[in-house]
Amino acid sequence: MATRLVLDVLFSDLSADWYGSQIGQLAGLPSGTIHPILARLERVGWLESRWEDIDPSAAGRPARRYYRLTESGATQAGRALASSRRPQLGFVPIPKEGLS
């Protein structure tokens, strides 16, 4: 579920570079959840990342690490999201005995 929320944010604008806390805020997830997901998606090649080229002293904040879906990552993630949202055909709940 959390990975799907992260991917939903990334898919909302494929041309954008997203930083971790921004993704977390939009997905409604804490940093401790977001960063392991981003690291995992990068390890499997779905994401690429880069560090922001700023002077932290001049900017008054640390440099941000930006993420974006790779072309193949967007394709594979799109397929995974589509299949996770597809209704499960053939599922028929079995009623408990004694219930009418």
Side-chain angles (χ1 to χ4, degrees):
M1 175 73 169
T3 300
R4 183 178 13 191
L5 293 172
V6 169
L7 290 172
D8 284 341
V9 170
L10 296 168
F11 268 108
S12 69
D13 186 351
L14 291 173
S15 65
D17 288 327
W18 302 91
Y19 58 95
S21 62
Q22 179 185 37
I23 296 168
Q25 182 179 23
L26 292 169
L29 298 168
S31 177
T33 300
I34 293 296
H35 288 91
I37 291 170
L38 294 172
R40 186 176 68 248
L41 293 174
E42 189 170 20
R43 270 193 313 275
V44 298
W46 288 17
L47 290 181
E48 58 190 11
S49 69
R50 67 172 177 81
W51 283 100
E52 180 180 34
D53 186 19
I54 64 163
D55 176 0
S57 299
R61 62 172 174 78
R64 295 174 175 152
R65 188 171 183 173
Y66 285 96
Y67 299 87
R68 79 167 39 204
L69 285 165
T70 63
E71 188 174 327
S72 66
T75 300
Q76 293 172 32
R79 287 182 190 144
L81 286 173
S83 68
S84 73
R85 290 188 176 124
R86 190 175 308 134
Q88 300 298 316
L89 301 176
F91 172 74
V92 179
I94 300 171
K96 292 185 178 182
E97 290 182 52
L99 296 178
S100 320

